[in-house]
Amino acid sequence: LMEIERSLVDFELIITEKDYRKNILKAKELIRKEKDSRILAAVLTISPDYCVTGDKDFHNSRVKQLVAVRYTKEVLAELGVK
C-alpha cells in the first residue's frame, strides 16, 4: 500500500486542452456515457500503466485494446495485497 501512496505522490502531470481534445472523439466512440467518455479521454491522453475502475463501461474489449483497465481487486492481487 505504501508503494501505491508513493507513486500517487510522485505523479504530477498537466493535461493540455489540445491533447485532451484529440482523444475526446475517440473516447465518445468507445463509451456511451458523456461523463465516462470525458474520463476516458483524459486516461487516453496521459497513457497510464493502469486505469483502475469498477465502472463496467470501461471494461470492454475496445477500451482494453487502448489501455490496461483493471478492477481494484485485480491491481491489489497483482501487488500481492489481500
Side-chain angles (χ1 to χ4, degrees), residues 50-67:
Y50 295 104
C51 173
V52 181
T53 181
D55 189 322
K56 292 179 181 175
D57 290 325
F58 287 80
H59 292 270
N60 72 60
S61 60
R62 292 177 64 204
V63 173
K64 288 184 174 186
Q65 288 177 356
L66 301 173
V67 65

Side-chain angles (χ1 to χ4, degrees), residues 1 4-5 10 12 17 21 25 28 35 39-40 42-43 45 50 55 59 80:
L1 220 40
I4 294 170
E5 287 179 17
D10 291 341
E12 184 179 324
E17 186 173 345
R21 292 211 179 272
L25 293 176
K28 285 181 179 182
K35 182 178 97 174
I39 293 168
L40 180 59
V43 169
T45 302
Y50 295 104
D55 189 322
H59 292 270

